[in-house]
Amino acid sequence: MNPKKIAALMDTLILTCTRQFRFNPRRVASDMRYKGTQGEGKNLVHVFKDIHTHSQIDLDSRSMAMLREQHGDTPHWDDAEKKRYCQTDAEIDAEIAAKQARLEATKASALYQDHREHLLSHYKGSPQYQEGRPTAREVARDLIMQLSVAQDARLMEFAAQMQTNDPEQLSHLLLAPCHIERAAWADKNT
């Protein structure tokens, strides 16, 4: 589908979700992506998917939206997610500021500084990348687990600063600056 048609569908989705569910248009615009169509004739719907949770919204030909509460065996659109989509602009700005602060804190942390090069080397496009090696996510998860067992002071400090001991969440936070650097590589090479 051409970009103009997708943009028009997105505009319709934003207006519809604002009207039907009281979703913040800014949240819908930033977090929903067009995935294609499903069905035929009167049953044809345009499917949009959340970039974080993979929850879906169907937009039909009458400009009616339907939240897919269940997708396969996985439940979606719980109350917390609906509430997140209804946040005010001030709440969205505060969430963005908190994420940016965590990102800056990660970049400045001893844990990240000590392992940055190793983590980056597991991304395609990195000068040190070698095919067949574990992914950056796997490497970060293993690193967190090893450092946790060793009771590494850098990890303990990082976990305290990020207010979590969950290895998955710590891995995700540790890789966030790497994703930004990787995106910068991709921009340079295109």
Side-chain angles (χ1 to χ4, degrees):
M1 184 174 297
N2 75 48
K4 284 185 181 180
K5 174 80 171 167
I6 292 172
L9 286 169
M10 180 59 81
D11 289 344
T12 302
L13 179 74
I14 291 167
L15 291 172
T16 302
C17 287
T18 302
R19 182 187 73 234
Q20 281 185 240
F21 312 118
R22 291 196 163 86
F23 285 175
N24 185 315
R26 187 172 155 198
R27 178 69 74 192
V28 176
S30 68
D31 288 3
M32 281 289 161
R33 297 293 178 268
Y34 182 72
K35 291 298 168 187
T37 59
Q38 288 184 349
E40 308 178 345
K42 290 182 179 180
N43 297 325
L44 180 75
V45 293
H46 297 280
V47 180
F48 294 83
K49 187 183 285 189
D50 180 270
I51 59 174
H52 303 290
T53 66
H54 307 294
S55 293
Q56 296 181 2
I57 300 176
D58 294 342
L59 182 66
D60 70 16
S61 61
R62 300 169 296 155
S63 297
M64 295 295 293
M66 182 182 78
L67 304 179
R68 286 193 184 176
E69 303 281 343
Q70 189 86 16
H71 186 66
D73 293 334
T74 310
H76 286 291
W77 291 108
D78 61 12
D79 290 339
E81 187 171 9
K82 290 175 188 174
K83 185 176 178 182
R84 186 175 163 276
Y85 266 84
C86 291
Q87 288 177 326
T88 65
D89 284 344
E91 289 169 322
I92 292 171
D93 289 339
E95 180 183 294
I96 291 168
K99 284 181 181 178
Q100 187 62 37
R102 277 195 310 267
L103 179 66
E104 294 304 320
T106 300
K107 283 183 185 176
S109 74
L111 181 66
Y112 179 73
Q113 291 299 318
D114 290 349
H115 298 283
R116 176 183 167 272
E117 291 297 325
H118 179 65
L119 293 169
L120 286 171
S121 73
H122 289 270
Y123 283 96
K124 287 183 179 177
S126 164
Q128 299 87 9
Y129 179 76
Q130 295 174 4
E131 196 69 43
R133 292 172 61 194
T135 65
R137 171 174 271 180
E138 293 166 336
V139 170
R141 190 178 315 126
D142 290 346
L143 175 66
I144 296 293
M145 296 307 284
Q146 290 169 5
L147 295 175
S148 179
V149 168
Q151 297 185 342
D152 184 84
R154 296 164 303 176
L155 176 61
M156 286 192 242
E157 181 183 330
F158 183 68
Q161 189 173 20
M162 297 300 155
Q163 299 177 346
T164 183
N165 286 316
D166 178 47
E168 285 295 320
Q169 195 169 10
L170 290 169
S171 302
H172 177 77
L173 292 166
L174 191 59
L175 289 175
C178 294
H179 293 308
I180 293 170
E181 285 192 50
R182 180 176 166 231
W185 295 337
D187 288 346
K188 283 182 188 177
N189 296 329
T190 57

